[in-house]
Amino acid sequence: MTLSLFDQFMSPWHMGIPLLAISLVLPWILFPTPTFRWLNNRMLTFQGWFIARFTQQTFLPLNVGGHKWALLLASLMVFLITLNMLGLLPYTFTPTTQLSLNLGLAVPLWLATVVIGLRNQPTAALGHLLPEGTPTPLIPVLIVIETISLFIRPVALGVRLTANLTAGHLLIQLVSMAVFVLLPMMPTVAVLTAVLLLMLTLLEVAVAMIQAYVFVLLLSLYLQENV
């Protein structure tokens, strides 16, 4: 039973071809493309409003140098939300439940923020490793601790996204299995469990959007420290 629960997180293959690449390309096909008309439809209008609001709220604390990342982080936000939401559909695969994919997104972007900080303001970037006013005997220990915390950041980004989505999918599968088991024996309890399943699904929709936002928001905070 334990193996069957985690089978949904295995990367699908067909004729020796990994279908993970298709699941990563599919969201870009579903996005509406801008037209040359004077008035856009509701979907395009909502998409433009959402991206504009997200960019405004995320990059408000950053200076002008950090605004160059607006297109990249906004695209990443929309991409992650779409992947997380599509993964909630039945008989679909969620690529963001793979730790390797999340680390592949987190590590290069985090490393880019660190390199930018070391290039633009090396003194301030290295100064984060030693808080001001630290007693002299604690300096070596704090430098080691701050260095470890710095390198843990991309791991925390990837693990947070993976763990939240994996836990949500497991809860949905366990509750749905309980509904099918209880339906012939205790229909009333099965109906109540189905209501719980519906509420849990709505919660997972919110989690799918919030986790994508948190992923990009933390990247923007790391960028804020280095620009």
Side-chain angles (χ1 to χ4, degrees):
M1 179 178 179
T2 305
L3 292 177
S4 63
L5 289 178
F6 288 92
D7 282 347
Q8 60 178 317
F9 304 115
M10 296 177 61
S11 181
W13 290 69
H14 182 67
M15 299 178 62
I17 301 174
L19 301 182
L20 180 62
I22 299 178
S23 62
L24 292 176
V25 173
L26 181 61
W28 299 111
I29 302 175
L30 299 177
F31 295 150
T33 55
T35 62
F36 293 100
R37 298 178 180 177
W38 287 4
L39 293 178
N40 294 323
N41 55 28
R42 291 184 177 89
M43 183 62 70
L44 280 173
T45 303
F46 174 75
Q47 177 179 295
W49 173 84
F50 173 78
I51 294 176
R53 292 293 298 174
F54 164 76
T55 306
Q56 179 183 1
Q57 293 296 326
T58 305
F59 290 90
L60 188 62
L62 298 179
N63 56 23
V64 180
H67 293 176
K68 300 175 183 177
W69 288 59
L71 179 60
L72 175 61
L73 294 185
S75 302
L76 180 62
M77 170 73 174
V78 176
F79 182 61
L80 289 177
I81 286 181
T82 309
L83 285 180
N84 296 344
M85 298 289 286
L86 290 178
L88 294 174
L89 298 176
Y91 303 104
T92 56
F93 173 71
T94 312
T96 45
T97 56
Q98 305 294 310
L99 183 59
S100 58
L101 173 66
N102 296 332
L103 289 179
L105 293 174
V107 172
L109 294 173
W110 163 83
L111 186 60
T113 61
V114 174
V115 171
I116 287 176
L118 292 175
R119 186 188 64 180
N120 294 341
Q121 43 184 10
T123 304
L126 295 176
H128 292 303
L129 301 178
L130 183 63
E132 187 177 357
T134 304
T136 304
L138 296 179
I139 289 178
V141 179
L142 281 180
I143 290 178
V144 173
I145 293 176
E146 292 296 330
T147 304
I148 293 175
S149 66
L150 177 65
F151 283 97
I152 283 179
R153 284 180 174 182
V155 179
L157 279 177
V159 170
R160 181 186 294 106
L161 183 58
T162 304
N164 281 282
L165 295 180
T166 302
H169 283 69
L170 286 176
L171 281 175
I172 289 177
Q173 183 170 0
L174 288 172
V175 175
S176 61
M177 290 170 59
V179 172
F180 281 104
V181 171
L182 294 173
L183 189 59
M185 297 183 297
M186 293 178 287
T188 306
V189 179
V191 171
L192 295 177
T193 310
V195 174
L196 176 63
L197 177 61
L198 177 61
M199 297 175 62
L200 182 61
T201 304
L202 296 177
L203 176 64
E204 284 306 311
V205 172
V207 169
M209 293 185 289
I210 291 173
Q211 288 304 316
Y213 175 71
V214 169
F215 189 92
V216 178
L217 179 63
L218 290 176
L219 282 176
S220 68
L221 293 178
Y222 300 157
L223 179 65
Q224 182 179 354
E225 294 180 358
N226 293 283
V227 295

